[in-house]
Structure formats: C-alpha cells, structure tokens
Amino acid sequence: MGTFNDEGEYTPRQITSNDVGSFADLIDDTMVTVEDGQLVEGKVVRIDKDEVLLDIGFKSEGVVPSRELSIRNDVDPSEVVSLGDIVEALVLTKEDKEGRLILSKKRAQYERAWGKIEEIKEAEGVVTGPVIEVVKGGLIIDIGLRGFLPASLVELRRVRDLAPYVGRSLEAKIIELDKNRNNVVLSRRAWLEETQREQREDFLQNLKPGEVRRGVVSSVVNFGAFVDLGGMDGLVHVSELSWKHVDHPGSVVAVGDEIEVQVLEVDNDRERISLSLKATQQDPWQEFAGAHRVGELVYGRVTKLVPFGAFVQVGEGIEGLVHISEMSAHHVDLPEQVVTPGEELWVKIIDLDLQRRRISLSIKQAAEGGVVAAEYQDAFGEHQYDDEGNFIGEVPEDEAEGAEGADGETAEAATPEVGDSGDAIAHTSEAPEADVAEAPEAEAAAPEASEPDAEADDATETDEA
C-alpha cells in the first residue's frame, strides 16, 4: 500500500516480483471450483442440436447433453432453454475423457423437486402437473420429476384410452416414493375419492330404486356398460341391457350414447349402483302375450333342434318349444325327421306362460286347423279363401320370401287352408336354411317350456393396479 506526505500527496508503493504470482495463478484465482454432485448456476452461451453449453465461471464451458436437459424424452434443446438464460445444473462429471465438464439440468431439477415432493407426501398433500407422456400401463406427469400414474388409478373406473389425457393438468396423491430408484407413483383416483366422497354420499342418498334416470354411457366392458348419471357411474349388467340375448354389450350401446335407465339397486356401503336399460323398454313377452291367445296359429322359424323337440322363433326375441310329441300325428324318434333349422312353418300355440316366459307350440295341431293370429288375418284370414277352402289371396312379400322352395317358386303349402268349419288348416313349407341365433338350452323334462330361466351372475369390476 502507498503513503501520503505532509502535503497530502499519495505515493504508491513500488510493486516487486514477489507481490505477483504467475499469470496462471491469477486466472485460477478467478475460476469457481466444482465437484461431482455439486449444484451450479450458469448462463446459456450456445445451443446445439444435441447439447447446450453453460458458462458457470469455470475454466471451460459446461456441457449439458440433450438427454440431461429435461425430464421429457426426445426434446429439442431450443424448446427448453434460450441464449442468455440462467440455468441451474448438477455436476455429473468434473472432467470426462475429453476433458469436458458434464452437467445435468434434469438432475438439478430432480434434486430441487425431491425435497418438495417428500414434504407433500409427509403432509398427505396433492401434486399437480401436466401429462407429458403415455407409457405402458399408465401416464407420466411432470411434477418437477417424472411421476408415474397407473392407468387403473387415473379415474374412479378403468380408462382404456389414455391418449386424450396428454397435455391435461391433473391432480394426484403420492402413494409411493423411492428416491434411490427415482420412483414416484401417483393416484388420481385417491384424490377423486377424497374430494368427491361427500358429493357421492349425497348423490346416493337421493337415488331411489325404481326411478328412471338419463345418463351417458361412459365405458363398455365384457360384463356390461357403465353409465354416468351426472354424479356417479352405475353398471348396467349385460343381462339388463336387452330383452333379447346379448353376445356383447357393444352390440347394444356405445360410449357416448345417451340412454334412459332404471335404478335397480343402490349399495351405499360399497357405493355401487345397479341399473337396467331393458326395464325402460317394452317387454316383448308382455307384448306377445297381450296380442296372442292359446289356440291361435302363428308363423315361425325353426332355430334349433334338441333331442326332445325344436325351438321355433315366433316373434322378435320370442321362442317357443315344439315338443317331439307335438311334431307329427305319427311317432317321431328324432326332430330332424320332421323339421330342419331355418325352416319356416305354421305352429299352434297350445300353452302360454307369461310368468315363466315359456310358450308351448304344436306342428301337429296346426295341421288340424285353427284361427290365424291377428297379425296374419289380412293375409290369411277367412276372406282370403273360397268356399271350397282354396287360397285365393296374395301372399305378402315377407311371407312369400319365407315360403320359397329351393327352385325359387312359392310353395303353396305355406298358406293355410280353410276347413269346413271356416278355420284355417296350416301346412309347413320347405324353406331354405337361414342363419339364425342359437336358442338357449331347454329342460328336456318340461315339454311345455320354451327355454329355462337363467339368472345372470353379478359382475364386479376389478381394478388393475
């Protein structure tokens, strides 16, 4: 340091060689020191396709490989940082084999985020972040690090298509945390259950069995369809989708369909709602029973042969049984001796049990005569025959098609004849085989029955973790 004389003039001290070290030492004195695992800050001085250079005050710029820039995969570095940005990074390698300082912005972000994430989990709090990726089995959410949200925990019910969630910001609970494995598992369903519990309780309290609600089909599964009632989802079991046999629920409803359903049961303890679609529709058995009487002749199609007889479809979703003893006036050993699947013919209703949903039919008695049912009166009523009982009317197109023989000519035997009493005497036609749905099995011991009653087992949805 210099000195001042009596007159206040300053005289600087003379600098000697001992006062100044080497030039290299002076440069080193201005450089920061770094160690592996240290967090540093630097300015973005260069952006390349596969890396970014940071000036952290070290003797050389630090290199941030593109894979270490973001928790998102395959990102363009220019979309993550800009020239002049001040970025925090973690030192991965102080000096690699090429002498470069390797940094990671992603790891620094992890380090900062882990502390916060641990605090949130400890407090049983909620994390929020955008969905950045769909992976096998679930979603990846950006919560400062990659949080995994399993598909089974995205909603209250299983979600099949996860693609629409990309870009959406979701809230979720932390259910698993492992820093050593960089593993964070989230559950949005847990958050939904927690926030919607009171709302669900009120909804269930106000929902009464027997009432009809309008809803939207939210998902279709093998055992039925889930319907969003505006507060909760209810299940329409496959047995409650239609009065007809249903091979798969997708043949009846589709996601997004708006339908009316009847509430069958409300389970407050399990928070489950059982619904019925068919209960809001006309029961075909009620309709058939109201329009037909025992003794009438109806036109039908053979759908299935069984050892004890044949099933004949006589209406939409309505099948009756012709017992083997009612197939012919003579003894019959096997049903195929008289009829074949797909054949269309006249049968007489000899028993109609609406409660058991069973109809007994007779080919033998139909051949003896009777009055045709109301829907056939215009085409085959008494006015369509002359005094000798010959058919003089025109067979409707749909009836004629069913009565065509193999040579394409209309079979006259398909029209009933009128006997002396004025009643129609029906004959069968030799119709070509047609593809028909297979009828349910019947009980061999009950010749008057069309098909046995079946009870659908309750199905419950199992979550996949």
Side-chain angles (χ1 to χ4, degrees):
M1 182 179 291
T3 59
F4 291 90
N5 60 21
D6 295 339
E7 292 160 358
E9 293 178 347
Y10 176 77
T11 302
R13 187 173 69 83
Q14 201 67 18
I15 302 297
T16 67
S17 60
N18 295 328
D19 293 321
V20 182
S22 68
F23 180 70
D25 291 337
L26 287 175
I27 294 176
D28 288 341
D29 289 342
T30 64
M31 297 296 164
V32 297
T33 58
V34 297
E35 299 295 339
D36 290 353
Q38 180 181 340
L39 288 174
V40 296
E41 277 192 352
K43 179 186 290 187
V44 177
V45 295
R46 182 174 172 179
I47 302 175
D48 291 331
K49 182 180 180 180
D50 55 357
E51 64 184 23
V52 169
L53 298 186
L54 291 186
D55 180 4
I56 65 168
F58 194 57
K59 60 184 178 181
S60 62
E61 284 87 5
V63 178
V64 183
S66 58
R67 67 178 181 277
E68 294 295 335
L69 271 172
S70 172
I71 62 174
R72 301 170 186 252
N73 294 324
D74 302 323
V75 295
D76 184 345
S78 61
E79 295 178 358
V80 181
V81 295
S82 302
L83 287 174
D85 284 354
I86 302 300
V87 173
E88 186 176 45
L90 182 137
V91 178
L92 293 181
T93 305
K94 183 176 179 180
E95 189 173 346
D96 69 357
K97 60 183 180 181
E98 298 176 7
R100 302 183 305 170
L101 172 66
I102 307 299
L103 307 174
S104 172
K105 178 179 178 296
K106 178 174 69 175
R107 306 293 179 87
Q109 187 177 339
Y110 271 143
E111 288 299 318
R112 293 295 183 192
W114 269 109
K116 183 179 179 181
I117 295 298
E118 288 173 338
E119 290 177 3
I120 293 174
K121 185 178 188 305
E122 187 69 23
E124 298 185 356
V126 175
V127 293
T128 304
V131 177
I132 61 175
E133 193 178 338
V134 177
V135 295
K136 183 179 180 181
L139 301 170
I140 298 297
I141 298 183
D142 181 356
I143 54 173
L145 44 79
R146 291 171 68 87
F148 176 63
L149 177 59
S152 60
L153 302 180
V154 173
E155 297 285 354
L156 295 174
R157 61 183 181 277
R158 176 78 183 194
V159 177
R160 302 296 176 184
D161 185 11
L162 297 175
Y165 287 89
V166 175
R168 285 181 54 185
S169 182
L170 303 180
E171 294 175 290
K173 302 278 287 185
I174 304 168
I175 59 175
E176 186 178 331
L177 196 59
D178 188 339
K179 187 174 182 180
N180 294 329
R181 297 168 55 199
N182 280 335
N183 187 34
V184 181
V185 181
L186 308 174
S187 172
R188 182 167 180 263
R189 188 174 73 180
W191 175 76
L192 290 172
E193 289 175 343
E194 186 176 286
T195 56
Q196 296 181 11
R197 183 172 293 113
E198 185 175 339
Q199 178 184 348
R200 290 198 309 275
E201 289 176 355
D202 291 340
F203 185 86
L204 289 170
Q205 288 295 329
N206 294 322
L207 197 64
K208 305 299 180 186
E211 67 177 304
V212 175
R213 291 288 187 102
R214 197 159 191 84
V216 177
V217 178
S218 55
S219 66
V220 177
V221 292
N222 290 333
F223 53 84
F226 286 93
V227 179
D228 183 356
L229 299 177
M232 286 186 67
D233 278 7
L235 173 65
V236 182
H237 190 264
V238 64
S239 62
E240 292 294 333
L241 280 171
S242 174
W243 291 104
K244 298 185 293 183
H245 173 73
V246 177
D247 290 320
H248 189 276
S251 64
V252 181
V253 294
V255 173
D257 286 353
E258 189 173 339
I259 59 175
E260 280 193 344
V261 290
Q262 185 180 89
V263 180
L264 296 181
E265 183 182 359
V266 179
D267 189 333
N268 289 283
D269 294 333
R270 300 170 68 190
E271 294 188 344
R272 291 185 176 176
I273 306 167
S274 297
L275 305 171
S276 174
L277 176 60
K278 75 178 185 182
T280 64
Q281 303 168 344
Q282 177 68 40
D283 181 353
W285 283 87
Q286 290 276 5
E287 192 174 359
F288 187 89
H292 297 83
R293 298 289 181 272
V294 171
E296 288 182 338
L297 295 174
V298 291
Y299 201 64
R301 174 183 293 166
V302 178
T303 59
K304 185 180 181 181
L305 303 183
V306 288
F308 48 87
F311 284 103
V312 177
Q313 181 177 335
V314 293
E316 185 67 25
I318 305 295
E319 288 185 338
L321 174 68
V322 179
H323 191 261
I324 196 168
S325 62
E326 291 293 335
M327 302 195 84
S328 176
H330 59 76
H331 177 73
V332 177
D333 292 317
L334 298 171
E336 48 264 41
Q337 294 174 343
V338 181
V339 293
T340 57
E343 180 179 348
E344 296 183 343
L345 72 173
W346 289 91
V347 290
K348 179 180 283 188
I349 300 173
I350 58 176
D351 186 53
L352 182 56
D353 188 339
L354 177 60
Q355 186 174 2
R356 300 175 69 192
R357 295 177 179 270
R358 294 182 176 181
I359 304 174
S360 294
L361 306 170
S362 174
I363 298 174
K364 177 176 69 176
Q365 295 185 43
E368 296 170 356
V371 179
V372 297
E375 66 263 36
Y376 306 107
Q377 282 293 330
D378 287 344
F380 301 111
E382 192 173 328
H383 61 283
Q384 297 281 36
Y385 298 83
D386 61 19
D387 294 339
E388 284 75 34
N390 298 314
F391 184 74
I392 58 176
E394 292 185 5
V395 180
E397 185 178 345
D398 56 345
E399 299 291 348
E401 289 177 356
E404 287 184 358
D407 57 0
E409 298 180 358
T410 302
E412 293 183 0
T415 60
E417 297 177 359
V418 176
D420 296 337
S421 63
D423 293 337
I425 301 175
H427 294 270
T428 63
S429 64
E430 295 298 325
E433 291 188 8
D435 292 332
V436 293
E438 188 170 284
E441 294 293 335
E443 298 172 349
E448 77 280 2
S450 63
E451 58 180 305
D453 296 328
E455 295 181 1
D457 295 331
D458 291 335
T460 56
E461 182 182 17
T462 56
D463 292 328
E464 298 174 29

